[in-house]
PDB file of all heavy atoms in Angstrom:
ATOM      1  N   ILE A   1       0.835  -1.201   0.000  1.00 76.00           N
ATOM      2  CA  ILE A   1       0.000   0.000   0.000  1.00 76.00           C
ATOM      3  C   ILE A   1       0.869   1.250   0.000  1.00 76.00           C
ATOM      4  O   ILE A   1       0.574   2.245  -0.641  1.00 76.00           O
ATOM      5  CB  ILE A   1      -0.887   0.027   1.261  1.00 76.00           C
ATOM      6  CG1 ILE A   1      -1.770  -1.206   1.341  1.00 76.00           C
ATOM      7  CG2 ILE A   1      -1.715   1.300   1.322  1.00 76.00           C
ATOM      8  CD1 ILE A   1      -2.462  -1.347   2.681  1.00 76.00           C
ATOM      9  N   PHE A   2       1.927   1.210   0.770  1.00 80.00           N
ATOM     10  CA  PHE A   2       2.609   2.415   1.197  1.00 80.00           C
ATOM     11  C   PHE A   2       3.515   3.020   0.146  1.00 80.00           C
ATOM     12  O   PHE A   2       3.631   4.247   0.051  1.00 80.00           O
ATOM     13  CB  PHE A   2       3.424   2.090   2.458  1.00 80.00           C
ATOM     14  CG  PHE A   2       3.675   3.272   3.334  1.00 80.00           C
ATOM     15  CD1 PHE A   2       2.702   3.732   4.204  1.00 80.00           C
ATOM     16  CD2 PHE A   2       4.906   3.926   3.299  1.00 80.00           C
ATOM     17  CE1 PHE A   2       2.933   4.810   5.022  1.00 80.00           C
ATOM     18  CE2 PHE A   2       5.149   5.017   4.117  1.00 80.00           C
ATOM     19  CZ  PHE A   2       4.154   5.458   4.987  1.00 80.00           C
ATOM     20  N   ASN A   3       4.162   2.184  -0.639  1.00 79.00           N
ATOM     21  CA  ASN A   3       5.196   2.669  -1.544  1.00 79.00           C
ATOM     22  C   ASN A   3       4.676   3.703  -2.532  1.00 79.00           C
ATOM     23  O   ASN A   3       3.753   3.444  -3.293  1.00 79.00           O
ATOM     24  CB  ASN A   3       5.813   1.493  -2.310  1.00 79.00           C
ATOM     25  CG  ASN A   3       6.787   0.729  -1.458  1.00 79.00           C
ATOM     26  OD1 ASN A   3       7.192   1.195  -0.397  1.00 79.00           O
ATOM     27  ND2 ASN A   3       7.166  -0.448  -1.910  1.00 79.00           N
ATOM     28  N   SER A   4       5.285   4.876  -2.482  1.00 84.00           N
ATOM     29  CA  SER A   4       5.071   5.937  -3.472  1.00 84.00           C
ATOM     30  C   SER A   4       3.632   6.442  -3.521  1.00 84.00           C
ATOM     31  O   SER A   4       3.210   6.998  -4.525  1.00 84.00           O
ATOM     32  CB  SER A   4       5.488   5.465  -4.863  1.00 84.00           C
ATOM     33  OG  SER A   4       6.834   5.055  -4.865  1.00 84.00           O
ATOM     34  N   VAL A   5       2.885   6.243  -2.447  1.00 91.00           N
ATOM     35  CA  VAL A   5       1.470   6.618  -2.450  1.00 91.00           C
ATOM     36  C   VAL A   5       1.213   7.735  -1.454  1.00 91.00           C
ATOM     37  O   VAL A   5       1.782   7.736  -0.363  1.00 91.00           O
ATOM     38  CB  VAL A   5       0.599   5.395  -2.101  1.00 91.00           C
ATOM     39  CG1 VAL A   5      -0.862   5.797  -1.916  1.00 91.00           C
ATOM     40  CG2 VAL A   5       0.704   4.341  -3.192  1.00 91.00           C
ATOM     41  N   THR A   6       0.347   8.649  -1.820  1.00 95.00           N
ATOM     42  CA  THR A   6      -0.111   9.652  -0.863  1.00 95.00           C
ATOM     43  C   THR A   6      -1.063   8.986   0.124  1.00 95.00           C
ATOM     44  O   THR A   6      -2.037   8.345  -0.279  1.00 95.00           O
ATOM     45  CB  THR A   6      -0.814  10.808  -1.579  1.00 95.00           C
ATOM     46  OG1 THR A   6       0.126  11.473  -2.424  1.00 95.00           O
ATOM     47  CG2 THR A   6      -1.389  11.808  -0.588  1.00 95.00           C
ATOM     48  N   MET A   7      -0.762   9.118   1.387  1.00 95.00           N
ATOM     49  CA  MET A   7      -1.568   8.516   2.443  1.00 95.00           C
ATOM     50  C   MET A   7      -2.403   9.590   3.131  1.00 95.00           C
ATOM     51  O   MET A   7      -2.019  10.762   3.200  1.00 95.00           O
ATOM     52  CB  MET A   7      -0.672   7.831   3.461  1.00 95.00           C
ATOM     53  CG  MET A   7       0.096   6.642   2.914  1.00 95.00           C
ATOM     54  SD  MET A   7      -0.967   5.277   2.402  1.00 95.00           S
ATOM     55  CE  MET A   7      -1.692   4.771   3.978  1.00 95.00           C
ATOM     56  N   GLY A   8      -3.532   9.155   3.660  1.00 97.00           N
ATOM     57  CA  GLY A   8      -4.419  10.107   4.310  1.00 97.00           C
ATOM     58  C   GLY A   8      -4.980   9.574   5.607  1.00 97.00           C
ATOM     59  O   GLY A   8      -5.024   8.358   5.828  1.00 97.00           O
ATOM     60  N   TRP A   9      -5.367  10.485   6.464  1.00 98.00           N
ATOM     61  CA  TRP A   9      -6.150  10.173   7.661  1.00 98.00           C
ATOM     62  C   TRP A   9      -7.574  10.693   7.410  1.00 98.00           C
ATOM     63  O   TRP A   9      -7.760  11.834   6.959  1.00 98.00           O
ATOM     64  CB  TRP A   9      -5.560  10.841   8.887  1.00 98.00           C
ATOM     65  CG  TRP A   9      -4.415  10.097   9.484  1.00 98.00           C
ATOM     66  CD1 TRP A   9      -3.088  10.358   9.328  1.00 98.00           C
ATOM     67  CD2 TRP A   9      -4.496   8.969  10.357  1.00 98.00           C
ATOM     68  NE1 TRP A   9      -2.342   9.462  10.027  1.00 98.00           N
ATOM     69  CE2 TRP A   9      -3.177   8.590  10.682  1.00 98.00           C
ATOM     70  CE3 TRP A   9      -5.553   8.230  10.904  1.00 98.00           C
ATOM     71  CZ2 TRP A   9      -2.884   7.513  11.518  1.00 98.00           C
ATOM     72  CZ3 TRP A   9      -5.262   7.167  11.734  1.00 98.00           C
ATOM     73  CH2 TRP A   9      -3.940   6.821  12.027  1.00 98.00           C
ATOM     74  N   PHE A  10      -8.508   9.840   7.756  1.00 98.00           N
ATOM     75  CA  PHE A  10      -9.912  10.157   7.602  1.00 98.00           C
ATOM     76  C   PHE A  10     -10.583  10.034   8.967  1.00 98.00           C
ATOM     77  O   PHE A  10     -10.052   9.395   9.864  1.00 98.00           O
ATOM     78  CB  PHE A  10     -10.585   9.156   6.659  1.00 98.00           C
ATOM     79  CG  PHE A  10     -10.009   9.108   5.273  1.00 98.00           C
ATOM     80  CD1 PHE A  10      -8.786   8.501   5.027  1.00 98.00           C
ATOM     81  CD2 PHE A  10     -10.689   9.657   4.206  1.00 98.00           C
ATOM     82  CE1 PHE A  10      -8.250   8.443   3.741  1.00 98.00           C
ATOM     83  CE2 PHE A  10     -10.171   9.605   2.915  1.00 98.00           C
ATOM     84  CZ  PHE A  10      -8.949   8.991   2.692  1.00 98.00           C
ATOM     85  N   ARG A  11     -11.772  10.588   9.078  1.00 98.00           N
ATOM     86  CA  ARG A  11     -12.545  10.360  10.290  1.00 98.00           C
ATOM     87  C   ARG A  11     -14.021  10.282   9.965  1.00 98.00           C
ATOM     88  O   ARG A  11     -14.490  10.900   9.012  1.00 98.00           O
ATOM     89  CB  ARG A  11     -12.289  11.449  11.339  1.00 98.00           C
ATOM     90  CG  ARG A  11     -12.802  12.838  10.993  1.00 98.00           C
ATOM     91  CD  ARG A  11     -12.359  13.824  12.070  1.00 98.00           C
ATOM     92  NE  ARG A  11     -12.869  15.176  11.821  1.00 98.00           N
ATOM     93  CZ  ARG A  11     -12.451  16.248  12.508  1.00 98.00           C
ATOM     94  NH1 ARG A  11     -11.537  16.108  13.482  1.00 98.00           N
ATOM     95  NH2 ARG A  11     -12.955  17.436  12.224  1.00 98.00           N
ATOM     96  N   ARG A  12     -14.706   9.496  10.790  1.00 98.00           N
ATOM     97  CA  ARG A  12     -16.156   9.383  10.665  1.00 98.00           C
ATOM     98  C   ARG A  12     -16.762   9.669  12.026  1.00 98.00           C
ATOM     99  O   ARG A  12     -16.581   8.887  12.965  1.00 98.00           O
ATOM    100  CB  ARG A  12     -16.572   7.998  10.183  1.00 98.00           C
ATOM    101  CG  ARG A  12     -18.077   7.792  10.174  1.00 98.00           C
ATOM    102  CD  ARG A  12     -18.444   6.441   9.614  1.00 98.00           C
ATOM    103  NE  ARG A  12     -18.412   6.441   8.165  1.00 98.00           N
ATOM    104  CZ  ARG A  12     -18.405   5.344   7.430  1.00 98.00           C
ATOM    105  NH1 ARG A  12     -18.428   4.154   8.001  1.00 98.00           N
ATOM    106  NH2 ARG A  12     -18.406   5.424   6.118  1.00 98.00           N
ATOM    107  N   ALA A  13     -17.440  10.787  12.109  1.00 96.00           N
ATOM    108  CA  ALA A  13     -18.147  11.141  13.335  1.00 96.00           C
ATOM    109  C   ALA A  13     -19.491  10.420  13.360  1.00 96.00           C
ATOM    110  O   ALA A  13     -20.003  10.011  12.307  1.00 96.00           O
ATOM    111  CB  ALA A  13     -18.356  12.647  13.401  1.00 96.00           C
ATOM    112  N   PRO A  14     -20.073  10.232  14.537  1.00 90.00           N
ATOM    113  CA  PRO A  14     -21.363   9.548  14.629  1.00 90.00           C
ATOM    114  C   PRO A  14     -22.413  10.168  13.724  1.00 90.00           C
ATOM    115  O   PRO A  14     -22.631  11.377  13.747  1.00 90.00           O
ATOM    116  CB  PRO A  14     -21.733   9.715  16.106  1.00 90.00           C
ATOM    117  CG  PRO A  14     -20.436   9.858  16.805  1.00 90.00           C
ATOM    118  CD  PRO A  14     -19.551  10.611  15.857  1.00 90.00           C
ATOM    119  N   GLY A  15     -23.027   9.331  12.883  1.00 93.00           N
ATOM    120  CA  GLY A  15     -24.082   9.795  12.004  1.00 93.00           C
ATOM    121  C   GLY A  15     -23.631  10.584  10.796  1.00 93.00           C
ATOM    122  O   GLY A  15     -24.463  11.130  10.068  1.00 93.00           O
ATOM    123  N   LYS A  16     -22.324  10.624  10.569  1.00 95.00           N
ATOM    124  CA  LYS A  16     -21.814  11.425   9.445  1.00 95.00           C
ATOM    125  C   LYS A  16     -20.967  10.561   8.521  1.00 95.00           C
ATOM    126  O   LYS A  16     -20.587   9.449   8.860  1.00 95.00           O
ATOM    127  CB  LYS A  16     -20.998  12.610   9.969  1.00 95.00           C
ATOM    128  CG  LYS A  16     -21.824  13.592  10.799  1.00 95.00           C
ATOM    129  CD  LYS A  16     -21.028  14.823  11.148  1.00 95.00           C
ATOM    130  CE  LYS A  16     -21.896  15.818  11.907  1.00 95.00           C
ATOM    131  NZ  LYS A  16     -21.144  17.061  12.251  1.00 95.00           N
ATOM    132  N   GLU A  17     -20.668  11.082   7.367  1.00 96.00           N
ATOM    133  CA  GLU A  17     -19.853  10.339   6.415  1.00 96.00           C
ATOM    134  C   GLU A  17     -18.372  10.450   6.765  1.00 96.00           C
ATOM    135  O   GLU A  17     -17.963  11.345   7.504  1.00 96.00           O
ATOM    136  CB  GLU A  17     -20.080  10.877   4.996  1.00 96.00           C
ATOM    137  CG  GLU A  17     -19.674  12.326   4.805  1.00 96.00           C
ATOM    138  CD  GLU A  17     -19.915  12.785   3.375  1.00 96.00           C
ATOM    139  OE1 GLU A  17     -20.149  11.961   2.486  1.00 96.00           O
ATOM    140  OE2 GLU A  17     -19.866  14.012   3.156  1.00 96.00           O
ATOM    141  N   ARG A  18     -17.612   9.552   6.236  1.00 97.00           N
ATOM    142  CA  ARG A  18     -16.164   9.552   6.447  1.00 97.00           C
ATOM    143  C   ARG A  18     -15.538  10.648   5.590  1.00 97.00           C
ATOM    144  O   ARG A  18     -15.806  10.724   4.384  1.00 97.00           O
ATOM    145  CB  ARG A  18     -15.582   8.185   6.103  1.00 97.00           C
ATOM    146  CG  ARG A  18     -14.107   8.053   6.352  1.00 97.00           C
ATOM    147  CD  ARG A  18     -13.701   6.601   6.520  1.00 97.00           C
ATOM    148  NE  ARG A  18     -14.379   5.697   5.630  1.00 97.00           N
ATOM    149  CZ  ARG A  18     -14.532   4.390   5.870  1.00 97.00           C
ATOM    150  NH1 ARG A  18     -14.036   3.856   6.975  1.00 97.00           N
ATOM    151  NH2 ARG A  18     -15.162   3.614   5.011  1.00 97.00           N
ATOM    152  N   LEU A  19     -14.686  11.453   6.207  1.00 97.00           N
ATOM    153  CA  LEU A  19     -14.081  12.585   5.522  1.00 97.00           C
ATOM    154  C   LEU A  19     -12.568  12.569   5.683  1.00 97.00           C
ATOM    155  O   LEU A  19     -12.051  12.192   6.729  1.00 97.00           O
ATOM    156  CB  LEU A  19     -14.630  13.910   6.075  1.00 97.00           C
ATOM    157  CG  LEU A  19     -16.124  14.179   5.907  1.00 97.00           C
ATOM    158  CD1 LEU A  19     -16.516  15.452   6.634  1.00 97.00           C
ATOM    159  CD2 LEU A  19     -16.503  14.253   4.445  1.00 97.00           C
ATOM    160  N   LEU A  20     -11.894  13.048   4.665  1.00 97.00           N
ATOM    161  CA  LEU A  20     -10.438  13.198   4.724  1.00 97.00           C
ATOM    162  C   LEU A  20     -10.094  14.401   5.590  1.00 97.00           C
ATOM    163  O   LEU A  20     -10.643  15.489   5.388  1.00 97.00           O
ATOM    164  CB  LEU A  20      -9.881  13.392   3.319  1.00 97.00           C
ATOM    165  CG  LEU A  20      -8.379  13.601   3.195  1.00 97.00           C
ATOM    166  CD1 LEU A  20      -7.624  12.316   3.516  1.00 97.00           C
ATOM    167  CD2 LEU A  20      -8.021  14.084   1.791  1.00 97.00           C
ATOM    168  N   VAL A  21      -9.183  14.225   6.538  1.00 98.00           N
ATOM    169  CA  VAL A  21      -8.751  15.353   7.376  1.00 98.00           C
ATOM    170  C   VAL A  21      -7.327  15.778   7.089  1.00 98.00           C
ATOM    171  O   VAL A  21      -6.967  16.935   7.313  1.00 98.00           O
ATOM    172  CB  VAL A  21      -8.912  15.060   8.881  1.00 98.00           C
ATOM    173  CG1 VAL A  21     -10.373  14.876   9.238  1.00 98.00           C
ATOM    174  CG2 VAL A  21      -8.107  13.860   9.310  1.00 98.00           C
ATOM    175  N   ALA A  22      -6.490  14.869   6.606  1.00 98.00           N
ATOM    176  CA  ALA A  22      -5.105  15.221   6.306  1.00 98.00           C
ATOM    177  C   ALA A  22      -4.531  14.200   5.342  1.00 98.00           C
ATOM    178  O   ALA A  22      -4.948  13.035   5.349  1.00 98.00           O
ATOM    179  CB  ALA A  22      -4.266  15.255   7.585  1.00 98.00           C
ATOM    180  N   ALA A  23      -3.570  14.632   4.547  1.00 98.00           N
ATOM    181  CA  ALA A  23      -2.905  13.733   3.614  1.00 98.00           C
ATOM    182  C   ALA A  23      -1.454  14.138   3.472  1.00 98.00           C
ATOM    183  O   ALA A  23      -1.097  15.311   3.684  1.00 98.00           O
ATOM    184  CB  ALA A  23      -3.601  13.744   2.252  1.00 98.00           C
ATOM    185  N   ILE A  24      -0.616  13.165   3.117  1.00 97.00           N
ATOM    186  CA  ILE A  24       0.802  13.421   2.944  1.00 97.00           C
ATOM    187  C   ILE A  24       1.316  12.588   1.781  1.00 97.00           C
ATOM    188  O   ILE A  24       1.066  11.394   1.702  1.00 97.00           O
ATOM    189  CB  ILE A  24       1.586  13.134   4.246  1.00 97.00           C
ATOM    190  CG1 ILE A  24       3.061  13.497   4.088  1.00 97.00           C
ATOM    191  CG2 ILE A  24       1.410  11.686   4.701  1.00 97.00           C
ATOM    192  CD1 ILE A  24       3.815  13.522   5.420  1.00 97.00           C
ATOM    193  N   SER A  25       2.037  13.247   0.875  1.00 96.00           N
ATOM    194  CA  SER A  25       2.609  12.549  -0.254  1.00 96.00           C
ATOM    195  C   SER A  25       3.844  11.769   0.173  1.00 96.00           C
ATOM    196  O   SER A  25       4.348  11.934   1.291  1.00 96.00           O
ATOM    197  CB  SER A  25       2.983  13.548  -1.358  1.00 96.00           C
ATOM    198  OG  SER A  25       4.058  14.368  -0.920  1.00 96.00           O
ATOM    199  N   PHE A  26       4.336  10.937  -0.721  1.00 92.00           N
ATOM    200  CA  PHE A  26       5.504  10.127  -0.382  1.00 92.00           C
ATOM    201  C   PHE A  26       6.704  10.999  -0.046  1.00 92.00           C
ATOM    202  O   PHE A  26       7.530  10.632   0.801  1.00 92.00           O
ATOM    203  CB  PHE A  26       5.837   9.187  -1.538  1.00 92.00           C
ATOM    204  CG  PHE A  26       6.838   8.130  -1.192  1.00 92.00           C
ATOM    205  CD1 PHE A  26       6.465   7.044  -0.427  1.00 92.00           C
ATOM    206  CD2 PHE A  26       8.160   8.220  -1.611  1.00 92.00           C
ATOM    207  CE1 PHE A  26       7.379   6.056  -0.082  1.00 92.00           C
ATOM    208  CE2 PHE A  26       9.075   7.247  -1.290  1.00 92.00           C
ATOM    209  CZ  PHE A  26       8.690   6.161  -0.524  1.00 92.00           C
ATOM    210  N   ASP A  27       6.796  12.187  -0.677  1.00 92.00           N
ATOM    211  CA  ASP A  27       7.941  13.065  -0.408  1.00 92.00           C
ATOM    212  C   ASP A  27       7.613  14.159   0.594  1.00 92.00           C
ATOM    213  O   ASP A  27       8.388  15.112   0.736  1.00 92.00           O
ATOM    214  CB  ASP A  27       8.471  13.673  -1.713  1.00 92.00           C
ATOM    215  CG  ASP A  27       7.398  14.442  -2.461  1.00 92.00           C
ATOM    216  OD1 ASP A  27       6.240  14.467  -1.997  1.00 92.00           O
ATOM    217  OD2 ASP A  27       7.723  15.022  -3.503  1.00 92.00           O
ATOM    218  N   GLY A  28       6.471  14.031   1.279  1.00 94.00           N
ATOM    219  CA  GLY A  28       6.218  14.874   2.435  1.00 94.00           C
ATOM    220  C   GLY A  28       5.348  16.097   2.247  1.00 94.00           C
ATOM    221  O   GLY A  28       5.172  16.874   3.192  1.00 94.00           O
ATOM    222  N   ASN A  29       4.782  16.294   1.099  1.00 97.00           N
ATOM    223  CA  ASN A  29       3.848  17.407   0.929  1.00 97.00           C
ATOM    224  C   ASN A  29       2.546  17.082   1.648  1.00 97.00           C
ATOM    225  O   ASN A  29       2.046  15.966   1.560  1.00 97.00           O
ATOM    226  CB  ASN A  29       3.583  17.669  -0.551  1.00 97.00           C
ATOM    227  CG  ASN A  29       4.818  18.184  -1.263  1.00 97.00           C
ATOM    228  OD1 ASN A  29       5.471  19.097  -0.787  1.00 97.00           O
ATOM    229  ND2 ASN A  29       5.138  17.580  -2.396  1.00 97.00           N
ATOM    230  N   THR A  30       2.009  18.066   2.339  1.00 98.00           N
ATOM    231  CA  THR A  30       0.826  17.820   3.164  1.00 98.00           C
ATOM    232  C   THR A  30      -0.348  18.712   2.784  1.00 98.00           C
ATOM    233  O   THR A  30      -0.175  19.773   2.182  1.00 98.00           O
ATOM    234  CB  THR A  30       1.147  18.061   4.652  1.00 98.00           C
ATOM    235  OG1 THR A  30       1.595  19.418   4.809  1.00 98.00           O
ATOM    236  CG2 THR A  30       2.226  17.117   5.145  1.00 98.00           C
ATOM    237  N   LEU A  31      -1.520  18.245   3.124  1.00 97.00           N
ATOM    238  CA  LEU A  31      -2.715  19.067   3.037  1.00 97.00           C
ATOM    239  C   LEU A  31      -3.632  18.723   4.195  1.00 97.00           C
ATOM    240  O   LEU A  31      -3.562  17.616   4.742  1.00 97.00           O
ATOM    241  CB  LEU A  31      -3.424  18.886   1.695  1.00 97.00           C
ATOM    242  CG  LEU A  31      -4.032  17.527   1.353  1.00 97.00           C
ATOM    243  CD1 LEU A  31      -5.426  17.381   1.945  1.00 97.00           C
ATOM    244  CD2 LEU A  31      -4.111  17.353  -0.160  1.00 97.00           C
ATOM    245  N   TYR A  32      -4.460  19.706   4.574  1.00 98.00           N
ATOM    246  CA  TYR A  32      -5.330  19.540   5.735  1.00 98.00           C
ATOM    247  C   TYR A  32      -6.721  20.095   5.446  1.00 98.00           C
ATOM    248  O   TYR A  32      -6.870  21.086   4.717  1.00 98.00           O
ATOM    249  CB  TYR A  32      -4.756  20.281   6.940  1.00 98.00           C
ATOM    250  CG  TYR A  32      -3.408  19.771   7.384  1.00 98.00           C
ATOM    251  CD1 TYR A  32      -2.233  20.345   6.916  1.00 98.00           C
ATOM    252  CD2 TYR A  32      -3.318  18.703   8.276  1.00 98.00           C
ATOM    253  CE1 TYR A  32      -0.991  19.866   7.311  1.00 98.00           C
ATOM    254  CE2 TYR A  32      -2.082  18.215   8.681  1.00 98.00           C
ATOM    255  CZ  TYR A  32      -0.924  18.802   8.192  1.00 98.00           C
ATOM    256  OH  TYR A  32       0.292  18.326   8.587  1.00 98.00           O
ATOM    257  N   ALA A  33      -7.697  19.460   6.061  1.00 98.00           N
ATOM    258  CA  ALA A  33      -9.033  20.034   6.036  1.00 98.00           C
ATOM    259  C   ALA A  33      -9.013  21.317   6.864  1.00 98.00           C
ATOM    260  O   ALA A  33      -8.256  21.432   7.834  1.00 98.00           O
ATOM    261  CB  ALA A  33     -10.036  19.044   6.627  1.00 98.00           C
TER     262      ALA A  33
END
């Protein structure tokens, strides 16, 4: 899964859909909700 892939953290609050909160590329570029 991990090699060369942008990874993300998601969250699902009660009664809500799962949403992306943060992501990081293989070389460290980040984005945040």
Side-chain angles (χ1 to χ4, degrees):
I1 302 169
F2 206 80
N3 282 347
S4 303
V5 172
T6 296
M7 295 295 295
W9 278 100
F10 300 74
R11 68 185 182 190
R12 174 177 280 165
K16 297 187 177 181
E17 62 179 347
R18 183 158 39 203
L19 297 174
L20 179 70
V21 296
I24 184 167
S25 68
F26 192 75
D27 57 358
N29 293 312
T30 59
L31 65 84
Y32 298 93

